[in-house]
Structure formats: structure tokens, C-alpha cells
Amino acid sequence: MEQDQDLYKYAGLILKHLREQASVAEQQELEAWLDKDVRRRQLLESLQHRETLRDAMAFHDTIDVDADWQAVMARATPVVPGKKVAWRRMVAWTAAAAVLTAAIIAYKWYTPLPKPAKMMAVTSLPVKNDILPGSSNATLRLGNGQTVHLGSQPEGAIKEADGTTIAQQPGGLVYNKTNESPATTLFNTLSTAKAGQYQLTLEDGTRVWLNAASSLRFPVHFSNGERRVELTGEGYFEVAASPDKPFRVMVQNMEVLVLGTHFNVGAYSKAVKTTLITGAVKIRVKDERDWQLLPGQQADVQDSQVRITTADTEKAIAWKEGIFFFRDDDFREIMNQVARWYDLDIRYTGPLPAKRISGNISRQAKLSQVLEMLNFVSGAHFRVNGREVTVSMTE
């Protein structure tokens, strides 16, 4: 049986064949592959006759692979040499041949049906009922309790009670540094709901990305020789180096101690996952002993128990780069991510897919496109009613 990369290769050849773009050499290579197994030829014929193939091709056309990849390259931090190439290959596969690759992989157990079966459970979802992805939006709670709604379009500066100017820029909020010692310490809280994310730059230059359904409480100005913030949900931090002022992230019952580094903290459940990209951090639980992480490591903390493992850094920061990235993931956890980003209520009827799921798709895709991908790789079916999605293993 072929390796997966061979299946991806022939997915691309089938895609070219169906578009009538294959060269003579490519067509000959495809024909040789088809002749080796009758099920392959049957699969190609079924694709040519299924009405839903048109939807699959349209699905491919909606994703701008080059733009998505350039955005990732422009912002991503190199972590482990050689891994960027693997990520690019996976992103390219998802956009260029996701639908066909899923079908080709299925040929391993493919048997002809008396009549063509539906390829996708959600292709009948009317476009007018589709749900758009989340966007850059949040709520800022000022020191006096006033709240300000923040959208993707900057609407001028915000003034704090102590006179601090908070700039609204395309890249998020920017807090201006002051040389004066504030008489009192004001705290702000930046919160994102479901289907929202936001960025801010703290007064020391530290940059923070907040994922959906998250919040960050922080002082307008750091004082007293420390920098301390409180996180719920998930955030990615690029901490400005300041050896005389350690940076501390308080999350649930633990603390992440930083001097200057890039790391991700996810705390949507009772378990807190801290993934170190560059630099060094220490994990401290209830003022007990410290655990120091090295780049490429992850600390899983739950009920004061700490487990240090090798991290999947690409996966940990994919949300920040605008990608749903799954690698041997539990189906329910995947749906939790989708629910947060599209502001959904998920209902399950019957058992869930037992297999672990791998794949990725742009977070700018519409909900129907994400559900199409999940249907192909898991076999689950989805029924959408407003913002309620019912998941089952049968139609």
C-alpha cells in the first residue's frame, strides 16, 4: 500500500486530470497508477459522475493558498529547522487537493455502491445560511469600569483616567510608555468573545495575541519592579526583554515566569498548556518548586500535576497564524475549537469518531468548508440550524 505522500501526489494528478490541465507525461503517470488497481479506476469514474464534485472544486477555488502561506511566512517564527517546509506542504495539500485526497485515501476500503453516494454531508447547506469565521473584535474594560468595543477598523485613540493614550492601530491596541510614576495603578481588561480575537502591545513593548473566548487583565503601566498579567483562555506572548523586571503570567492556579521570550499559553479547560517557542520560562504551581522549559517543550499542568513533553510548536501557534491545524487530535477537542471560532453550540447524537484527526484549513474559511473537511477526514455528518450544529455518524 502506498505511503500517504504518494496518495497526495496522485490527488494532485487527478485534480489536473479533472481540470484537463495534465501534461502528456502526467496523464501517462496517472494512467499507470490507475491500471494497478481496479478500485482506483472505479474511484475516478465515480468522481467524474458525482454531482457533488462541482462543489468540491468550488471549495478548492475559495481558498487562496499562496496568500495564506505568505501570511504565515510573514509572521511565523522559525522554530525547528526543516519544519516550515513540512507545514507548507501540509497547507498546500489542504487547499489544492483536500477533497480529492480524502477520496483517494478512501480507495483503500472503497467498494462500488449500487448508486452514487454523497461525497459531502454539508454540500446542500445553502450559502445564505452559511456562517462566517470570527474576526478581530474585542471589548476593553478601562480602569473606571467603562467599556469600549474594539473592531477591525481603528476608531482613534482611547484616553485612560490618568491621561494615558491608548492607540487603536490596524495591529491592535498600543499602550504608550510614560516616564512618570503613576499615583495609582490602573488595570485594564481586554476580552474576546467567541468568534473574536485581538492583539495588543503593552507599555513595555510586550505583544500579546488573544484567541477567542479569552481575556487578559493587565496594568496600564508596570511599576514596583515587576510585570504581572492575568490570562484566561488562550494567548500568545512575545515578551520584551527586561532582566530587572521579570514578566509573570498568572493563569488558573499557576504562574509562568519569563525574562524575554515567545510562548503560548492555552487554558480553556482545567489543564493549562504552556508551549515555549524561543527563550526560557519557568512554570510555578502554588508557590511550589519551579519547572524550567527549553525551546520546543510544553508543560501540561492539571491539579498541580506537571508533565513536561516535547511540543508540537506548529500546532500550538497555528491559531495565531490563521490556521486550524490538527495532528492526531481528538474529534471533540477539534469541535470545541470550531465552536469557539464560529460561535456555535455543538450537539452530539450517538458515538463520536474514534479515529484521531489530522489536517488543516484556513481560519478564514466559512463554516460549511470546515465541516466539509471534517466530514472527509472523520466520516462525521453535520446538521446546521442557525448556530447550533448537530454531529452524528449517520445522515
Side-chain angles (χ1 to χ4, degrees):
M1 196 66 71
E2 298 102 327
Q3 298 295 317
D4 284 347
Q5 56 264 34
D6 293 329
L7 296 178
Y8 303 158
K9 169 186 175 182
Y10 290 111
L13 291 180
I14 288 179
L15 185 64
K16 287 187 175 182
H17 168 78
L18 294 172
R19 293 188 183 278
E20 299 181 352
Q21 296 174 346
S23 66
V24 173
E26 289 171 333
Q27 188 65 38
Q28 291 175 345
E29 183 177 6
L30 177 61
E31 289 293 333
W33 182 77
L34 293 171
D35 288 340
K36 290 181 180 179
D37 192 327
V38 66
R39 295 173 299 170
R40 301 173 184 174
R41 183 76 64 180
Q42 292 169 339
L43 176 63
L44 178 59
E45 291 175 355
S46 69
L47 287 173
Q48 290 172 319
H49 290 92
R50 288 176 179 174
E51 180 179 356
T52 52
L53 179 62
R54 292 179 301 180
D55 298 301
M57 303 290 266
F59 169 64
H60 159 253
D61 288 338
T62 61
I63 299 179
D64 186 344
V65 191
D66 292 333
D68 283 347
W69 175 245
Q70 291 302 324
V72 172
M73 288 295 291
R75 298 191 303 272
T77 302
V79 180
V80 180
K83 279 200 172 184
K84 281 199 297 183
V85 175
W87 192 349
R88 181 173 191 174
R89 183 168 59 247
M90 180 170 281
V91 172
W93 162 69
T94 299
V99 175
L100 297 176
T101 300
I104 290 173
I105 292 175
Y107 94 84
K108 296 178 183 180
W109 56 84
Y110 175 81
T111 54
L113 299 174
K115 59 181 180 180
K118 291 183 180 179
M119 286 184 64
M120 295 176 285
V122 298
T123 52
S124 60
L125 183 68
V127 174
K128 66 179 181 180
N129 291 335
D130 215 341
I131 295 177
L132 298 178
S135 61
S136 182
N137 66 85
T139 300
L140 177 67
R141 184 180 179 87
L142 300 174
N144 62 4
Q146 177 187 353
T147 58
V148 181
H149 176 72
L150 307 170
S152 57
Q153 299 299 320
E155 297 181 359
I158 302 170
K159 284 287 188 180
E160 248 295 2
D162 64 355
T164 300
T165 298
I166 307 168
Q168 295 190 71
Q169 300 181 359
L173 293 180
V174 178
Y175 282 71
N176 293 327
K177 186 176 180 61
T178 179
N179 293 323
E180 299 179 3
S181 298
T184 58
T185 300
L186 293 176
F187 286 87
N188 285 185
T189 301
L190 182 66
S191 302
T192 58
K194 285 185 175 181
Q197 66 179 38
Y198 215 76
Q199 301 177 31
L200 77 156
T201 301
L202 301 174
E203 68 132 15
D204 67 331
T206 293
R207 302 176 67 194
V208 184
W209 285 254
L210 277 186
N211 204 349
S214 304
S215 70
L216 187 76
R217 183 176 183 268
F218 54 94
V220 175
H221 299 291
F222 294 114
S223 59
N224 301 323
E226 73 169 7
R227 299 175 291 170
R228 184 188 297 263
V229 301
E230 299 172 19
L231 174 72
T232 63
E234 183 167 26
Y236 177 83
F237 295 79
E238 293 184 353
V239 177
S242 181
D244 58 331
K245 284 188 178 182
F247 193 97
R248 303 173 189 271
V249 179
M250 313 302 296
V251 51
Q252 295 189 18
N253 67 339
M254 59 164 280
E255 172 185 304
V256 182
L257 175 63
V258 190
L259 292 179
T261 186
H262 298 181
F263 62 99
N264 191 84
V265 180
Y268 285 119
S269 63
K270 293 182 179 179
V272 180
K273 296 183 179 181
T274 303
T275 307
L276 181 61
I277 309 301
T278 63
V281 301
K282 290 182 179 179
I283 304 299
R284 180 175 297 165
V285 180
K286 292 184 177 179
D287 295 325
E288 297 177 358
R289 73 183 185 90
D290 299 333
W291 288 263
Q292 183 159 334
L293 299 185
L294 299 175
Q297 289 186 328
Q298 176 176 289
D300 291 350
V301 180
Q302 184 170 5
D303 298 329
S304 299
Q305 300 298 310
V306 180
R307 184 167 64 97
I308 309 297
T309 60
T310 300
D312 188 336
T313 51
E314 292 173 336
K315 178 178 171 182
I317 67 172
W319 69 268
K320 168 182 169 285
E321 309 302 340
I323 298 172
F324 284 115
F325 188 97
F326 312 127
R327 182 139 56 196
D328 293 329
D329 283 355
D330 175 75
F331 182 82
R332 187 182 292 270
E333 173 54 32
I334 289 174
M335 291 308 300
N336 288 342
Q337 293 185 45
V338 173
R340 283 192 293 268
W341 188 234
Y342 292 90
D343 190 10
L344 307 173
D345 292 320
I346 308 295
R347 293 181 60 252
Y348 298 98
T349 59
L352 299 180
K355 61 186 286 189
R356 311 290 286 189
I357 307 300
S358 296
N360 64 86
I361 190 170
S362 169
R363 277 164 61 104
Q364 293 308 306
K366 296 177 182 179
L367 175 63
S368 62
Q369 296 167 337
V370 174
L371 297 184
E372 285 173 347
M373 185 269 281
L374 290 175
N375 167 253
F376 279 122
V377 297
S378 72
H381 299 276
F382 306 90
R383 185 171 67 252
V384 180
N385 182 16
R387 290 194 176 272
E388 181 180 271
V389 176
T390 302
V391 185
S392 66
M393 292 304 295
T394 59
E395 291 191 80

